[in-house]
Amino acid sequence: MRTNISETIFFIDRESGLGLQAQLRETVVSAVLAGRVQPGAHLPSTRKLAEYLNISRITATLAYQELVSQGYLEASNRSSYRIASNPPGRGLENDRPSAGSNPVDWSGKMKMRFEVVRQVSKPLDWRRYPYPFLYGQMDPSLFDLNAWRDCARRALAREDFILMASDFAAADDVRLVNYICSRTLPRRGIHANPDEVLITVGAQNALWIVTQLILDKGSSAVCENPCHPDISASLLLSGAKVTTVDVDGEGLPPDGLPDDTDAVFVTPSHHSPTGATMPIDRRTRLLQAAAEKDFVIVEDDYEFEISYLAPPSPALKAFDSTGRVLYIGSFSKSLFPGLRLGYLVAPAPFIREARALRSLMLRHPPGHLQRTVAYFLALGHYDAVLHRMRTEYHKRHVLMAESLQREGLTIAGASAFGGTSFWMEGPEGLDADRLVQDLRQDGVLVESGSPFFPRSDAPCRFFRMGYSSIPSGNISAGVTLVRAAIKAHFRPGTD
């Protein structure tokens, strides 16, 4: 007896961004893998399906034909298609073990817990909010997507594909490393050879590798206060004794470092989150202290490319003549955060160990992604994108500064060379966590400063407002709503 599959199992979402053919294929594949359709069952004809979904018949035909080539369907004649007798994935559900009556107590099985710090809240649906003052999110209108697609296509050329499809083992893309050595690092005043560079899955991956190599339970580490929560969490998980040193308007003061320090983690060119820049004389004193007390310095150098008010100062690594500075950079801030591609610069012996550790963790970052970025950099697209970003962010910076001043809000810190955010200080008694929640109801997204002070349980009056993702025309109205929400916090009866 013939079994027919109703056309009603198909659904088209024209707002999803996924092609119509892809949606049809996904429906069939999901039904097959979930066991909702049986081998031999006939699908609705292409004509019937096209009429039901109000799509062209050729779209349905091409989707069916692709499923035939993949082995999910069989064509019985020119217009009839049925589920293949042995489609991919069929029968896998029978191999799954049945659920036991005595589930595992994972709280006792796990030897380490990684939920040790509050993360900066960034809702995944932030684009639907009219006033997203979020740091680190991109404005897609400033990015050259066509150029990126072209570079991705170039990376799939036969010669490149054969290379990137291979197992790199512990190696990195030679073109990308060479570009970093010849173009990126010299802009920061750094000279490095290819064997002194390791490609990482973002700056956080580089930070994790470094902490694993230089810290253990007997070590002593120093980080800034306030400090990026990912840095403080990584140090805490290393088991080292962690000391926080309060930053001032010039960043981390070297005179406040304890004598038994093994490593200092700093963001000297652009402190996170205040934006303070460490002056040259203080950098010199920090390097002198490192030599005298025999500690290493881990420099997280981010967002230096977004300079439009003044040229960024050279990296701390540029003044390092003894190899004590381990330098971390990333393309995620300057291109787009989902890229997750960074690099670690250190003496060759250290990089060899870092490469071995990375190999145990993830082998290497995806080869196609590395080669795509290499083309994007080498063909000049990267510099063109940065130029557009600097021009637009400069406009937004001015609008933000004027709006904040007009509303009487206090700027506690901002990058002297540019950047994409303001570090704000609310009045005494403000709870930034509560402010964030209240503002979200008004369509406004700001970031509480509390995650940057991991050792403080008191309410935090600091918060961060970014402008990389909010349209210029929405800045003024959004700042006005922030000011109104702060006033509401101090009305009688609001506590």
Side-chain angles (χ1 to χ4, degrees), residues 63-325:
Y64 280 2
Q65 289 176 349
E66 178 65 19
L67 289 167
V68 170
S69 68
Q70 293 175 342
Y72 290 98
L73 298 183
E74 295 172 351
S76 55
N77 55 52
R78 293 183 60 184
S79 60
S80 178
Y81 295 86
R82 61 174 178 250
I83 304 297
S85 57
N86 187 28
R90 187 69 181 176
L92 292 178
E93 67 276 4
N94 297 327
D95 298 331
R96 297 171 185 165
S98 59
S101 58
N102 188 21
V104 175
D105 178 12
W106 286 109
S107 62
K109 291 291 186 183
M110 293 183 291
K111 304 306 179 185
M112 290 187 67
R113 303 299 294 271
F114 291 89
E115 293 183 341
V116 297
V117 67
R118 288 185 52 202
Q119 296 296 318
V120 179
S121 177
K122 297 182 188 293
L124 294 178
D125 61 344
W126 64 266
R127 293 186 187 278
R128 73 177 182 87
Y129 290 82
Y131 309 105
F133 291 105
L134 294 180
Y135 174 77
Q137 300 298 343
M138 70 170 295
D139 182 344
S141 68
L142 302 177
F143 187 75
D144 193 341
L145 181 57
N146 289 331
W148 180 262
R149 286 171 173 164
D150 176 66
C151 292
R153 179 186 58 79
R154 290 173 183 269
L156 287 174
R158 181 174 180 81
E159 181 180 348
D160 292 281
F161 177 79
I162 292 174
L163 175 65
M164 73 89 182
S166 304
D167 186 351
F168 281 21
D172 292 315
D173 188 287
V174 174
R175 290 189 181 183
L176 180 57
V177 172
N178 286 341
Y179 184 94
I180 292 172
C181 291
S182 63
R183 295 284 298 279
T184 304
L185 295 178
R187 293 176 179 176
R188 306 299 295 129
I190 300 172
H191 171 74
N193 297 317
D195 63 351
E196 297 174 312
V197 176
L198 178 75
I199 304 300
T200 60
V201 184
Q204 181 60 28
N205 179 223
L207 175 67
W208 182 262
I209 290 173
V210 167
T211 57
Q212 295 302 303
L213 290 179
I214 66 175
L215 298 177
D216 57 22
K217 291 184 178 180
S219 305
S220 297
V222 172
C223 67
E224 301 157 323
N225 186 50
C227 176
H228 193 286
D230 289 348
I231 295 179
S232 58
S234 296
L235 298 184
L236 177 63
L237 289 168
S238 73
K241 172 188 174 183
V242 181
T243 301
T244 59
V245 175
D246 293 344
V247 301
D248 55 27
E250 297 182 339
L252 179 79
D255 298 338
L257 300 177
D259 292 333
D260 61 344
T261 301
D262 293 306
V264 175
F265 291 74
V266 292
T267 51
S269 296
H270 186 186
H271 172 253
S272 176
T274 69
T277 296
M278 185 183 292
I280 302 301
D281 64 330
R282 182 170 285 195
R283 299 184 191 212
T284 301
R285 297 207 314 273
L286 180 58
L287 289 169
Q288 290 173 345
E292 293 169 1
K293 299 180 180 181
D294 191 26
F295 62 78
V296 299
I297 301 170
V298 181
E299 177 183 15
D300 183 3
D301 189 31
Y302 74 101
E303 214 176 53
F304 69 86
E305 307 95 336
I306 312 300
S307 55
Y308 45 79
L309 298 177
S313 58
L316 179 64
K317 178 70 174 173
F319 303 95
D320 176 30
S321 60
T322 60
R324 287 187 177 273
V325 178

